[in-house]
Amino acid sequence: MDRIAITGGARLQGEIPISGAKNSAIKLMAASLLTDEPLRLTNMPRLADTRFLGKLLARLGAEVVESEGPDGPETLLTTREIVSGFAPYELVRQMRASFNVLGPLLARNGQAKVSLPGGCSIGARPVDLHLKALEALGAKIDLHEGYVYAQAPRGLQGAVIDFPFNSVGATEHAMLAAVLAHGDTVLENAAAEPELADLADCLNAMGAKVSGAGTRTIHIQGVSRLSGTTHAVVPDRIETGTYAMAAAIAGGEVRLTRTRSDFIQALLDKMVEAGVDVTPHSDGLTIKRNGARLNAVEITTEQYPGFATDLQAQFMALMTLADGESVFRETIFENRFMHVPELARLGADISVHGGEARVRGVASLEGAQVMATDLRASVSLVIAGLAAQGETVVNRVYHLDRGFERLEEKLCACGAQVRRLKGDGEEEVE
Ligand code: EPZ
């Protein structure tokens, strides 16, 4: 299994181009099941998760072709017909967002059998809201032996769906199903993350009639068929925020390009409060820090546009070296402090009580072997390693590969000392 070794202490100087958003790309890929025409996705991130979903879509009938376009990586997906409506446990278990093929399969095929995803290291993550939304759209849902058996032989029917709380996945899932339903659908108390607006933009370019995505109320007028289109994946706000924090902890000056600073405004406000110099520009932002110790600040994770739960672990890494005590309140997932014991191995002083973590800033961190537990937790360890004295080795790097494209290359281009240790660590690659 690969590992990542970081030799801390190097200041970062340079430019990091941000990739397309993983959490948008995988929903856009699922949207390709809704049409028999080709969907060309540009600005595609090349990640373990997108490769993985490509394999599942191919099983369902999609032809998936990756290429290098004039503006970077592209994926062309063509599903002339659905050859199978079955998504097995082995595949859905490995990447829970695979569950979102259920809605498109139902909408286009009238039936599907998709495994329930099960739990996850960051929380129980039930899919009850997804299933209730599909039922509200007229699907008949039965659960047997870990599988969802869903049917809508006469098609789905538009409905008013009032979510009890904002769920990114359930909102996207309902949207993916409702675009081909008969009649109108209203999604109330919808999630408003930028990836939802991106999905709506793509669906609209395919001929759907979706309005209000990115707000709490989304209107969808069902259409009888969708066509192909070309759509550029929105920039990855979590990757953007992660490299912003990498630059802040290491010190120096890094320009993040091909992205949008407004997607991470809540994070940037906190970084400025902590003492980081942030300059937005039309193509992204520049992060600068020159030596001075950061101030401790408090954060509470919230739905967009609040402070993203997917940036909490990285911000905690940053605060381990701040002056004073910072408080972290995690409100989205119940088990999202798995990075705490690993940061403690590097010398961080953190205590956790329920959904709250208190971080007392220390003067320095010291490199050590650490274990990645999930995607964002693992990158927080890389961030801490950039500032730790000596070498930090992050094990179980496959978590990182799910969501960060060419991480070592992007950081090294700015002067970081980050190497991938292949396999058991004997053979070293860049
Ligand atoms: C998406 O997960 C992202 N994943 C997550 O990113 C992100 O952390 C999360 O949104 C919040 O922003 C993808 O887009 C693939 P939710 P999702 O439905 O859709 C509960 C990463 O590292 N809930 O908004 O699963 C749920 O348990 C990942 O890239 C129900 O109770 O998040 C959670 O507590 C991790 N029932 C809360 O709602 C449901 O049916 C919000 O989850 C659905 C969700």
Side-chain angles (χ1 to χ4, degrees):
M1 221 175 278
D2 290 4
R3 302 179 297 163
I4 295 265
I6 307 114
T7 305
R11 286 167 69 78
L12 302 188
Q13 191 77 36
E15 186 173 311
I16 299 180
I18 300 300
S19 301
K22 167 185 86 91
N23 286 346
S24 200
I26 53 185
K27 319 302 167 54
L28 295 166
M29 290 174 76
S32 70
L33 293 174
L34 292 166
T35 175
D36 58 2
E37 294 183 15
L39 174 63
R40 181 184 299 278
L41 298 175
T42 63
N43 196 33
M44 273 293 285
R46 293 279 184 251
L47 299 167
D49 273 11
T50 50
R51 271 196 301 280
F52 184 81
L53 184 59
K55 277 190 197 147
L56 171 60
L57 294 176
R59 266 179 86 127
L60 302 177
E63 192 194 345
V64 183
V65 181
E66 293 189 345
S67 63
E68 203 55 33
D71 206 25
E74 296 185 2
T75 302
L76 185 67
L77 301 115
T78 314
T79 314
R80 299 240 177 270
E81 57 177 334
I82 307 278
V83 297
S84 161
F86 176 49
Y89 176 61
E90 304 77 72
L91 297 184
V92 181
R93 175 179 59 92
Q94 285 179 50
M95 193 188 65
R96 49 182 306 115
S98 308
F99 185 69
N100 277 28
V101 299
L102 175 60
L105 285 175
L106 252 184
R108 172 131 171 240
N109 207 31
Q111 58 175 337
K113 175 184 172 186
V114 175
S115 173
L116 286 164
C120 167
S121 65
I122 62 174
R125 303 184 76 182
V127 288
D128 53 322
L129 300 184
H130 299 231
L131 297 179
K132 280 190 188 133
L134 294 176
E135 279 179 327
L137 293 170
K140 184 173 172 307
I141 305 266
D142 290 301
L143 303 182
H144 294 298
E145 297 172 340
Y147 279 88
V148 179
Y149 291 75
Q151 290 191 348
R154 276 182 232 99
L156 296 168
Q157 286 292 335
V160 176
I161 301 170
D162 193 354
F163 292 107
F165 54 88
N166 312 137
S167 158
V168 175
T171 306
E172 286 164 340
H173 211 157
M175 192 191 288
L176 282 166
V179 283
L180 284 182
H182 304 292
D184 295 353
T185 296
V186 183
L187 306 180
E188 295 283 11
N189 204 17
E193 272 65 5
E195 294 74 28
L196 268 149
D198 196 36
L199 178 60
D201 287 347
C202 178
L203 290 167
N204 284 339
M206 292 165 73
K209 295 193 170 147
V210 182
S211 59
T215 73
R216 294 277 171 237
T217 305
I218 301 175
H219 290 266
I220 302 164
Q221 224 178 304
V223 296
S224 57
R225 73 177 299 276
L226 294 175
S227 58
T229 193
T230 296
H231 177 82
V233 180
V234 77
D236 195 317
R237 64 194 163 98
I238 307 304
E239 192 194 20
T240 308
T242 299
Y243 288 125
M245 287 182 273
I249 202 166
E253 183 170 341
V254 174
R255 190 177 168 93
L256 305 173
T257 59
R258 298 174 63 94
T259 188
R260 286 179 51 170
S261 61
D262 57 323
F263 283 172
I264 52 164
Q265 197 53 55
L267 165 70
L268 297 179
D269 290 346
K270 291 293 174 182
M271 290 181 69
V272 169
E273 194 183 327
V276 180
D277 192 351
V278 176
T279 312
H281 46 79
S282 60
D283 189 31
L285 64 154
T286 297
I287 299 292
K288 199 156 112 184
R289 185 167 82 83
N290 285 322
R293 200 169 176 199
L294 296 179
N295 311 311
V297 296
E298 302 197 356
I299 63 140
T300 300
T301 61
E302 287 169 342
Q303 290 86 359
Y304 189 83
F307 193 105
T309 174
D310 289 349
L311 292 169
Q312 176 256 109
Q314 301 90 312
F315 198 73
M316 192 180 289
L318 186 62
M319 287 294 103
T320 58
L321 290 170
D323 186 15
E325 181 178 270
S326 47
V327 182
F328 285 67
R329 290 181 202 89
E330 172 58 55
T331 70
I332 308 293
F333 292 110
E334 63 273 22
N335 192 28
R336 219 173 187 185
F337 287 137
M338 303 266 282
H339 43 285
V340 167
E342 302 303 313
L343 288 171
R345 286 183 55 74
L346 301 175
D349 181 1
I350 309 171
S351 51
V352 175
H353 299 284
E356 189 175 290
R358 287 181 178 265
V359 182
R360 289 161 292 276
V362 293
S364 63
L365 298 174
E366 197 182 354
Q369 294 264 346
V370 285
M371 195 67 83
T373 50
D374 72 76
L375 171 57
R376 311 305 175 185
S378 39
V379 84
S380 78
L381 303 173
V382 174
I383 288 179
L386 291 171
Q389 292 166 5
E391 188 172 75
T392 298
V393 177
V394 181
N395 292 277
R396 294 203 189 147
V397 158
Y398 61 86
H399 286 295
L400 268 181
D401 293 337
R402 293 187 59 171
F404 288 93
E405 186 181 25
R406 297 179 286 109
L407 173 107
E408 316 86 277
E409 191 186 312
K410 289 187 181 188
L411 285 171
C412 287
C414 291
Q417 293 185 43
V418 182
R419 295 167 299 146
R420 180 171 289 251
L421 311 177
K422 274 284 182 194
D424 57 6
E426 294 301 319
E427 181 199 342
E428 290 185 10
V429 178
E430 170 57 66

